[in-house]
Amino acid sequence: MTKGNFVFHNNVEIPNLGFGTWQIPNEEAYDAVTMALKNGYTHIDTALAYKNEENVGKAIKDFDISREDVFITSKLPAQTKGYDETMDAFNETISNLGVDYLDLYLIHAPWPWDEKGKDYTEGNIQSWKAMEKLYNDGKIRAIGVSNFEISDIQALLDNCDIVPMANQIPFYVGRDQEELLTFCKQHEIVVEAYSPLATGQLLDNQDVKDMADKYSVTPAQLLIRYCLERDTLPLPKSTHEERIKQNKQVDFEISQDDLKQLMDMEDVRK
Ligand SMILES: NC(=O)c1ccc[n+]([C@@H]2O[C@H](COP(=O)([O-])OP(=O)(O)OC[C@H]3O[C@@H](n4cnc5c(N)ncnc54)[C@H](OP(=O)(O)O)[C@@H]3O)[C@@H](O)[C@H]2O)c1
């Protein structure tokens, strides 16, 4: 990690904190993304499935920032597998966003959401080959996956040319995914921490609150800092400006003892 950025194995840099946009309806996405840009975020995470790409793109375009200074991630829908299907979905995404390239494009999940766990290896390989082509053609600066387990990634390593640059996974205090983290590190795959606040469910946890008080930060700031301390890239989401601002102010250090205490916590979502 260079200051403020993670670096992919192809040397493309990605700002080390991104603005999440899941569950922000298209009508609200314009204001939310504008607030994020205003407060210094230069990395926005969206997906075709979020149905807000249009206003995410419009907010970026209308803001006083050049395209190359904003890092945009989008995702191939979980149910869309195959070479041609991937090309079509990618074209839909860049047309929605109104851009001519993406910074990062991810396979949203190894399986359609309603068939979680089912083997879609062949479909993922075909999608990955399409993404390799788009990458080689300069349409995407980095390609990656999301919700992929070790075996899902291994299938791409065994059958394709390009090692994914990122894996975006649920990662928060209590859900550390150690084995997957180690595997990604071994293959120089940057781990992006989605739901760093456990979609809000960790914010009222008493242990988290107590530790946050100790550092004079909010629970959200402690949880976001935790991801960075674990070498993962947090993607907090909020539609409130005070929170958007706060979530980016995470320039403090968690002591080794406190880090260990957080690492020992149970998953609040179990
Ligand atoms: N690849 C995938 O499959 C996948 C899956 C899930 C998420 N993601 C990505 O990760 C992003 C974040 O995950 P997430 O949306 O699950 O949630 P999250 O960032 O863990 O938590 C968001 C929730 O916490 C609240 N919140 C945010 N900051 C706060 C603060 N400082 N104080 C108090 N409350 C605060 C938000 O409320 P308000 O909005 O009302 O402020 C919202 O209810 C997503 O938006 C998406 O980009 C990816």
Side-chain angles (χ1 to χ4, degrees):
M1 184 166 62
T2 63
K3 191 155 175 46
N5 289 330
F6 281 80
V7 186
F8 292 134
H9 64 68
N10 64 346
N11 290 324
V12 165
E13 297 195 13
I14 174 170
N16 71 2
L17 198 144
F19 182 67
T21 66
W22 178 42
Q23 292 180 318
I24 304 184
N26 198 36
E27 316 78 72
E28 289 173 37
Y30 185 89
D31 286 348
V33 171
T34 303
M35 283 190 273
L37 294 169
K38 209 173 108 192
N39 286 287
Y41 290 73
T42 52
H43 168 186
I44 314 291
D45 183 86
T46 183
L48 187 60
Y50 299 171
K51 297 191 166 61
N52 60 17
E53 286 175 323
E54 204 185 315
N55 275 336
V56 167
K58 195 167 180 323
I60 293 169
K61 197 160 270 179
D62 287 354
F63 200 80
D64 184 20
I65 193 165
S66 50
R67 170 68 188 90
E68 59 273 22
D69 291 331
V70 189
F71 191 101
I72 307 176
T73 300
S74 194
K75 313 184 191 89
L76 174 73
Q79 74 279 9
T80 307
K81 307 288 180 201
Y83 192 95
D84 293 339
E85 293 82 349
T86 299
M87 291 294 183
D88 291 347
F90 173 78
N91 286 331
E92 194 178 337
T93 277
I94 56 167
S95 153
N96 287 342
L97 285 163
V99 296
D100 47 20
Y101 71 91
L102 275 186
D103 295 283
L104 177 64
Y105 195 43
L106 307 173
I107 298 183
H108 208 143
W111 16 248
W113 299 113
D114 55 357
E115 292 181 276
K116 210 171 171 177
K118 196 169 167 195
D119 185 4
Y120 270 88
T121 302
E122 193 45 41
N124 288 325
I125 290 170
Q126 292 314 317
S127 289
W128 192 250
K129 288 188 189 241
M131 286 164 65
E132 289 181 333
K133 165 89 174 121
L134 291 163
Y135 172 77
N136 287 326
D137 287 351
K139 291 282 188 188
I140 315 174
R141 296 173 67 227
I143 53 178
V145 294
S146 178
N147 297 294
F148 270 46
E149 298 291 343
I150 292 175
S151 57
D152 302 314
I153 300 175
Q154 191 62 53
L156 299 186
L157 300 183
D158 292 343
N159 294 284
C160 303
D161 294 329
I162 300 175
V163 176
M165 284 123 199
N167 188 16
Q168 185 179 120
I169 57 170
F171 183 93
Y172 49 82
V173 165
R175 188 161 181 189
D176 282 315
Q177 313 225 38
E178 294 296 348
E179 252 182 86
L180 184 53
L181 231 51
T182 305
F183 179 88
C184 288
K185 194 160 252 176
Q186 276 164 358
H187 293 276
E188 296 182 84
I189 299 169
V190 169
V191 172
E192 296 191 314
Y194 80 60
S195 306
L197 316 176
T199 320
Q201 289 178 55
L202 267 170
L203 295 168
D204 289 327
N205 179 283
Q206 198 54 49
D207 294 333
V208 170
K209 281 178 159 176
D210 290 345
M211 198 182 289
D213 283 347
K214 181 174 150 186
Y215 287 92
S216 305
V217 296
T218 65
Q221 288 171 317
L222 180 76
L223 294 166
I224 293 165
R225 182 70 218 176
Y226 175 79
C227 296
L228 291 167
E229 300 271 0
R230 300 297 325 276
D231 218 11
T232 66
L233 192 162
L235 301 167
K237 168 262 173 190
S238 175
T239 46
H240 295 91
E241 187 155 17
E242 266 320 300
R243 294 173 176 177
I244 290 173
K245 191 188 277 186
Q246 177 195 119
N247 292 350
K248 212 176 173 298
Q249 291 165 349
V250 290
D251 202 8
F252 63 98
E253 265 176 46
I254 303 175
S255 76
Q256 286 305 310
D257 283 352
D258 289 337
L259 210 52
K260 183 162 184 325
Q261 192 183 320
L262 293 170
M263 284 166 73
D264 288 344
M265 273 179 60
E266 292 289 316
D267 187 346
V268 286
R269 284 173 146 178
K270 266 190 181 155

